[in-house]
Amino acid sequence: MPAQLQQIVDDILNKRTVSLEIFQELSQRFGVSDMAITTFFRTLGERKIPIEDLDSKLREIAARHLTLLKQIESLSGDDPQVEALKKDAVVAIRVGNYARAETLLLQAFDADLVAARKAQDAANSRFVTAAKTKADLGELKLSQLQYEAAAREFQTAADLVPASELGLRAQYLTRIGKAASTVGLYPRAEQALTEALRIREKLLPADNSDVADSLERLAWLYITLGRYTEAEPLAKRAVVIGEKTLGPEHREVAFSLNTLAWSYQKRGRYTEAEPLYKRALAIVEKALGPEHSDVASPLNNLATLYHAQGRYAEAEPLAKRALTIREKALGPEHPDVGTLLNNLAEFVRMQGRRAEAEPLYKRALAIAEKALGPEHPDVGQRLHNLAVLNMDRGLYAEAEPSFKRGLIIFEKALGLEHPDIAVYLSNQAKLYRLQGRYAEAGPLYKRALAIREKVYGIGHPMTEATRDDLQILRRLENPPDDYDLPDEHSGAGSR
């Protein structure tokens, strides 16, 4: 049989006459037309199939031919033009006219593709509209201070955005980052802000202002998380881009300066931070007016810098002005107002006005619990500050549970090695030291020292202060005969 098939192949390729009976026999065997059989043999010859494989390859071609017919005949669609082209292709395939079938199927494909693209454009347009509606719902949730719900709405909006609109996705991811970080959902915020930055760096020029915005927001989050060395280069890039594209007096440049200054302040680089805060404040006041809500941020940050330097009398009027601005702009129950109340209470307490500080702390705590929930790190911070106040006043039994709860909340939200944890540990250790509970104080001081050595280095003033506290504790545990005990009630202060 293979030899006979080879002869047929040769005859067809050389355009010699072939017995009609052979074609009829093969067409009946395979269930195809005589003309299709001719095409099969031509294919075998053109592909130079070895003689020993001719029979199997002929059967393979015939089977694929029948499968193709069934497949095309079974397809149906809504486009009459495509339907007609495919019917003509079936006719061409039946008679083995594969060249014409290919032309017809390509025409059908082109018609389908044009229709699909029109449909996809329409679908994408609706997806964009749906995403914008979800984003509007997110803004509605924000107006009700429902930050976690807002983050979910923005996430849905981002996920609805088609691949052709990645710039819009970056906008919604940025909103997720802001809403999630407000309620302490830091991993979600970091994921969203990191993706937003990656999209913008891919789509936009390196000096685009939207790239600067993403850099600044991610830097701010890193500072919140205690990752100061990661934050600084992002904030610096944001400042450079903003100055180049928007001008040195633009409000967005002020925000980036503010963030960069904060990264310096958290690492104890106060002399570098102060001129940046002052420049940011001057820009915002000039651009927006002295009573605009955004003026409160550089005012507050400059006040916290003065607090860190012990310049409490300079810090207090700035804090009061920032609080007045924010209360007027946002209302008395907004979480930003709670933050400014807490800071003002700190400045007042550090000047020895403890009775005046207490209602400020309590109001700040109530706002945070109501607006942000009982497990938010701001709640932990305010519990801790109230505990410090009670420790200052000698109310140790009231201070201890607040210290403990505040530490648990903060550790859960920001991790066991966040730099601010060292403050919490040091103050709780001091409470135990004041009570003579030296064995409980020691491990807390040691842990605080390990954190500060890792974050700030061995020679940093904060590290040295903790080392001094630990040495004082050791002397109290085993005092030499001539050792003067420190005045433990001369003002606790957060360290």
Side-chain angles (χ1 to χ4, degrees), residues 143-337:
S143 69
Q144 300 171 73
L145 306 183
Q146 298 178 26
Y147 300 102
E148 187 171 0
R152 288 196 297 270
E153 299 289 6
F154 289 135
Q155 184 67 65
T156 302
D159 292 341
L160 285 169
V161 173
S164 58
E165 298 287 345
L166 285 179
L168 184 60
R169 177 174 173 83
Q171 290 181 31
Y172 297 149
L173 289 168
T174 301
R175 295 185 194 181
I176 294 167
K178 183 175 182 180
S181 61
T182 299
V183 287
L185 300 173
Y186 299 121
R188 186 187 299 182
E190 183 178 359
Q191 181 181 13
L193 292 176
T194 301
E195 184 185 348
L197 175 60
R198 184 167 60 249
I199 290 172
R200 285 174 169 173
E201 287 185 316
K202 182 178 179 180
L203 294 181
L204 303 171
D207 58 357
N208 184 273
S209 59
D210 283 344
V211 174
D213 175 71
S214 283
L215 288 165
E216 189 271 328
R217 290 179 186 276
L218 189 56
W220 188 270
L221 179 64
Y222 283 162
I223 296 168
T224 301
L225 296 172
R227 293 156 59 180
Y228 309 135
T229 56
E230 293 176 74
E232 183 180 334
L234 300 185
K236 283 182 174 178
R237 276 182 62 196
V239 171
V240 171
I241 293 170
E243 288 178 330
K244 179 180 179 182
T245 60
L246 302 173
E249 301 301 314
H250 196 278
R251 57 184 290 188
E252 296 295 334
V253 174
F255 298 152
S256 299
L257 287 166
N258 194 54
T259 300
L260 179 58
W262 193 31
S263 76
Y264 287 154
Q265 178 183 334
K266 296 299 284 187
R267 298 167 71 187
R269 294 160 62 180
Y270 303 140
T271 56
E272 295 172 81
E274 185 171 356
L276 298 182
Y277 279 141
K278 287 182 174 179
R279 183 182 160 200
L281 176 59
I283 291 171
V284 176
E285 285 183 320
K286 181 179 178 180
L288 303 174
E291 301 304 314
H292 192 278
S293 178
D294 287 343
V295 172
S297 184
L299 277 172
N300 172 68
N301 289 340
L302 187 57
T304 63
L305 177 68
Y306 290 159
H307 170 264
Q309 296 174 297
R311 298 159 63 181
Y312 307 124
E314 294 175 76
E316 185 178 342
L318 299 180
K320 285 182 174 178
R321 183 182 161 202
L323 177 60
T324 300
I325 290 171
R326 280 281 163 87
E327 277 191 307
K328 182 178 179 180
L330 303 175
E333 301 301 316
H334 195 279
D336 287 354
V337 171

Side-chain angles (χ1 to χ4, degrees), residues 471-484:
Q471 290 175 352
I472 290 171
L473 180 68
R474 287 168 178 164
R475 289 177 185 143
L476 287 169
E477 289 178 305
N478 300 288
D481 294 338
D482 61 346
Y483 178 59
D484 261 342

Side-chain angles (χ1 to χ4, degrees), residues 25-208:
E25 177 188 346
L26 291 173
S27 66
Q28 288 175 2
R29 183 192 303 176
F30 294 119
V32 299
S33 69
D34 295 351
M35 288 180 285
I37 291 292
T38 303
T39 300
F40 297 169
F41 279 113
R42 183 175 293 110
T43 299
L44 293 170
E46 290 171 349
R47 295 293 175 270
K48 295 182 172 56
I49 303 300
I51 186 171
E52 64 271 17
D53 295 333
L54 285 174
D55 184 66
S56 63
K57 289 298 181 183
L58 179 61
R59 295 175 186 276
E60 179 183 338
I61 292 172
R64 292 186 183 280
H65 175 92
L66 294 171
T67 299
L68 176 61
L69 283 173
K70 289 180 182 178
Q71 182 173 308
I72 297 177
E73 288 171 338
S74 66
L75 295 176
S76 61
D78 298 328
D79 190 327
Q81 178 191 3
V82 173
E83 283 289 298
L85 288 167
K86 288 186 176 179
K87 285 180 180 178
D88 290 345
V90 167
V91 173
I93 291 169
R94 285 189 186 282
V95 298
N97 191 347
Y98 286 177
R100 175 165 171 71
E102 182 175 348
T103 299
L104 293 167
L105 289 175
L106 284 173
Q107 291 175 3
F109 167 77
D110 289 339
D112 269 333
L113 190 60
V114 169
R117 284 174 174 163
K118 288 181 180 178
Q120 186 63 59
D121 288 344
N124 284 346
S125 178
R126 292 305 296 267
F127 275 121
V128 168
T129 302
K132 289 180 177 178
T133 302
K134 267 296 183 183
D136 291 341
L137 285 167
E139 294 294 343
L140 183 62
K141 294 296 184 183
L142 286 180
S143 69
Q144 300 171 73
L145 306 183
Q146 298 178 26
Y147 300 102
E148 187 171 0
R152 288 196 297 270
E153 299 289 6
F154 289 135
Q155 184 67 65
T156 302
D159 292 341
L160 285 169
V161 173
S164 58
E165 298 287 345
L166 285 179
L168 184 60
R169 177 174 173 83
Q171 290 181 31
Y172 297 149
L173 289 168
T174 301
R175 295 185 194 181
I176 294 167
K178 183 175 182 180
S181 61
T182 299
V183 287
L185 300 173
Y186 299 121
R188 186 187 299 182
E190 183 178 359
Q191 181 181 13
L193 292 176
T194 301
E195 184 185 348
L197 175 60
R198 184 167 60 249
I199 290 172
R200 285 174 169 173
E201 287 185 316
K202 182 178 179 180
L203 294 181
L204 303 171
D207 58 357
N208 184 273

Side-chain angles (χ1 to χ4, degrees), residues 283-442:
I283 291 171
V284 176
E285 285 183 320
K286 181 179 178 180
L288 303 174
E291 301 304 314
H292 192 278
S293 178
D294 287 343
V295 172
S297 184
L299 277 172
N300 172 68
N301 289 340
L302 187 57
T304 63
L305 177 68
Y306 290 159
H307 170 264
Q309 296 174 297
R311 298 159 63 181
Y312 307 124
E314 294 175 76
E316 185 178 342
L318 299 180
K320 285 182 174 178
R321 183 182 161 202
L323 177 60
T324 300
I325 290 171
R326 280 281 163 87
E327 277 191 307
K328 182 178 179 180
L330 303 175
E333 301 301 316
H334 195 279
D336 287 354
V337 171
T339 298
L340 297 180
L341 282 165
N342 175 78
N343 292 346
L344 178 59
E346 276 284 282
F347 307 149
V348 170
R349 178 183 68 83
M350 292 304 293
Q351 296 178 77
R353 290 146 54 193
R354 296 166 184 166
E356 189 178 339
E358 183 177 14
L360 298 176
Y361 279 134
K362 288 184 174 179
R363 185 180 157 203
L365 174 61
I367 290 172
E369 287 182 318
K370 181 179 179 182
L372 305 174
E375 301 303 315
H376 192 276
D378 283 1
V379 173
Q381 180 200 50
R382 284 153 208 184
L383 284 165
H384 175 85
N385 289 346
L386 268 172
V388 170
L389 178 66
N390 284 326
M391 180 171 66
D392 283 354
R393 299 163 73 185
L395 303 174
Y396 302 147
E398 295 180 35
E400 184 173 0
S402 295
F403 271 135
K404 287 182 174 180
R405 185 184 161 207
L407 181 61
I408 289 170
I409 291 171
F410 210 77
E411 286 179 329
K412 183 178 179 181
L414 293 169
L416 300 179
E417 296 189 350
H418 190 281
D420 289 350
I421 293 290
V423 177
Y424 287 51
L425 292 166
S426 293
N427 283 330
Q428 188 173 339
K430 181 168 185 177
L431 174 69
Y432 292 153
R433 191 177 81 192
L434 289 168
Q435 294 175 292
R437 297 159 63 181
Y438 304 141
E440 294 171 81

